């Protein structure tokens, strides 16, 4: 069997960490490249790019999930990570091609659905919530240090080095999957001939949505994912620009903010999540996570001082327990040979929100004539970045 050792949660954890570490390095250069490429209607263009990417993820996630149920997880991990990371080197080669590739890469940007199916293959049902919490915490951990490292390298050595390091990390991830990750799906669960068990109905995202509509358990979970992730995806797409432009955070402050919220998210998803699941149950844990999300979104929206952003960030960390709790709930209600399909549906809905959220926010900014006229120099005094008081009300 190819790979190192028996398939385990730790293989999945390393794959997720390296993929999102590579993208986290690009947080600071991305703001600059986005504004330089689209000086007019920056928010709107960002929304359109993310919108196309998200819609393509929504279309492809159930198909990739269903194919991984039939043909195994490893090849689809390789496929999703390769195409998700493919746009990274293009950031310095050609920004236009970079943004075009980001849009198209949405077809394969569904690593989470394959990873969660991989974890379901190698864990017992009672272990699954802890394993999903660990995977989600690793995603947060990858974003703890990488934006800070990216900001430091960008300030001292330029964006070219940041893009080079991010590309190398992505290559390491691909090599790790090729050489170290063993296949998790038992041979006996796969069909005798390729494609034997794949029908258009399984691959069609709209058919899978019709099937979901008839399932009294999965339907409310899918609606929950859509309504909770839509505002979060929209907010996340413009939040770092907001911190810089309106609240007056510098690059170092933004990197520190991401690191602190990331560390608190890791604690929430490893310690608090398992305690809450044992004490109040799966459904109530989801409800509690949604409660924290309502509070943090309102706080971000109405907060006007930097200390308010930091406090809201702590609440946001607690709201990060929602998705692993939902994934465990879905996994418990699916057969062992359908894990890829159901996780694909959930990841597809998240992908759709990743597109609709930024597109919606970008359109709202466009309607109210909010433009990123210039990226202000790094603010270290904590003063507002806006120069003209009349701009403040519109923003």
């Amino acid at each position: 069997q190819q790979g190192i050792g028996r398939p385990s949660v730790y293989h999945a954890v390393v794959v997720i960490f390296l993929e999102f570490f590579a993208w986290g390095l690009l947080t600071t250069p991305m703001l600059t490249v986005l504004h330089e490429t689209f000086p007019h209607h920056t928010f709107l263009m960002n929304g359109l790019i993310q919108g196309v990417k998200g819609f393509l993820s929504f279309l492809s996630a159930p198909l990739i999930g269903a194919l991984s149920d039939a043909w195994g997880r490893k090849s689809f991990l390789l496929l999703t990570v390769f195409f998700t990371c493919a746009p990274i080197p293009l950031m310095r080669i050609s920004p236009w091609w970079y943004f075009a590739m980001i849009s198209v890469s949405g077809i394969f940007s569904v690593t989470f659905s394959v990873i969660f199916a991989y974890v379901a293959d190698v864990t017992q049902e009672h272990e699954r919530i802890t394993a999903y919490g660990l995977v989600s915490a690793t995603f947060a951990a990858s974003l703890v240090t990488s934006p800070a490292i990216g900001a430091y390298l960008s300030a001292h050595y330029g964006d070219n080095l940041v893009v080079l390091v991010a590309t190398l990390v992505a290559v390491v991830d691909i090599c790790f999957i090729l050489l170290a990750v063993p296949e998790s799906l038992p041979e006996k669960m796969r069909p005798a001939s390729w494609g034997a068990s794949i029908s258009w109905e399984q691959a069609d995202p709209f058919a899978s949505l019709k099937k979901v509509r008839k399932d009294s358990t999965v339907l409310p979970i899918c609606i929950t994912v859509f309504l909770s992730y839509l505002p979060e995806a929209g907010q996340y797409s413009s939040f770092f620009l907001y911190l810089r432009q309106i609240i007056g955070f510098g690059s170092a402050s933004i990197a520190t903010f991401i690191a602190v919220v990331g560390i608190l998210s890791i604690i929430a998803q490893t310690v608090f999540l398992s305690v809450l699941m044992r004490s109040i149950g799966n459904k109530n844990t989801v409800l509690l996570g949604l409660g924290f999300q309502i509070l943090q979104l309102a706080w971000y929206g109405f907060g006007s001082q930097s200390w308010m952003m930091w406090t809201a960030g702590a609440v946001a960390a607690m709201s990060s327990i929602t998705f692993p709790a939902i994934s465990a709930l879905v996994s418990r209600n699916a057969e062992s040979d359908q894990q890829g399909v159901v996780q694909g549906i959930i990841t597809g809905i998240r992908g759709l929100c990743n597109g609709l959220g930024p597109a919606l926010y970008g359109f709202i900014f466009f309607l109210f004539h909010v433009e990123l006229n210039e990226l202000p120099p790094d603010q270290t005094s904590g003063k507002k970045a806006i120069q003209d008081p009349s701009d403040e009300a519109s923003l």
Side-chain angles (χ1 to χ4, degrees), residues 244 247-253 306 376-385:
R244 182 127 173 219
I247 307 297
F249 276 39
S251 292
S253 302
S306 59
D378 282 357
Q379 308 288 313
T380 50
S381 62
K383 289 179 184 172
K384 297 248 178 172

Side-chain angles (χ1 to χ4, degrees), residues 296-343:
Q296 63 103 347
L297 287 170
W299 208 327
Y300 278 148
F302 292 111
S304 57
Q305 305 294 321
S306 59
W307 69 266
M308 294 179 178
M309 297 296 115
W310 288 98
T311 315
V315 179
M318 278 305 296
S319 75
S320 67
I321 62 173
T322 309
F323 190 67
I326 285 175
S327 293
L329 201 58
V330 169
S331 181
R332 253 180 25 203
N333 288 287
E335 299 298 323
S336 58
D337 62 343
Q338 294 288 302
Q339 292 292 334
V341 176
V342 294
Q343 297 296 349

Side-chain angles (χ1 to χ4, degrees), residues 144-223:
V144 166
T145 50
S146 54
I149 293 169
Y152 176 81
L153 292 175
S154 178
H156 289 80
Y157 303 105
D159 288 350
N160 286 349
L161 182 68
V162 183
V163 175
L164 177 63
V165 172
T167 305
L168 291 174
V169 171
V171 170
V172 169
D173 197 12
I174 291 162
C175 293
F176 178 79
I177 296 169
L178 272 172
L179 304 174
V181 175
E183 178 54 62
S184 66
L185 195 68
E187 198 74 42
K188 64 178 182 294
M189 289 179 67
R190 286 183 250 166
S193 63
W194 277 47
S197 65
I198 297 296
S199 65
W200 169 244
E201 192 180 340
Q202 276 180 299
D204 178 9
F206 299 102
S208 66
L209 285 181
K210 282 179 207 159
K211 202 160 43 178
V212 164
R213 202 175 64 208
K214 294 171 188 166
D215 191 319
S216 59
T217 312
V218 180
L219 176 62
I221 294 173
C222 289
I223 293 171

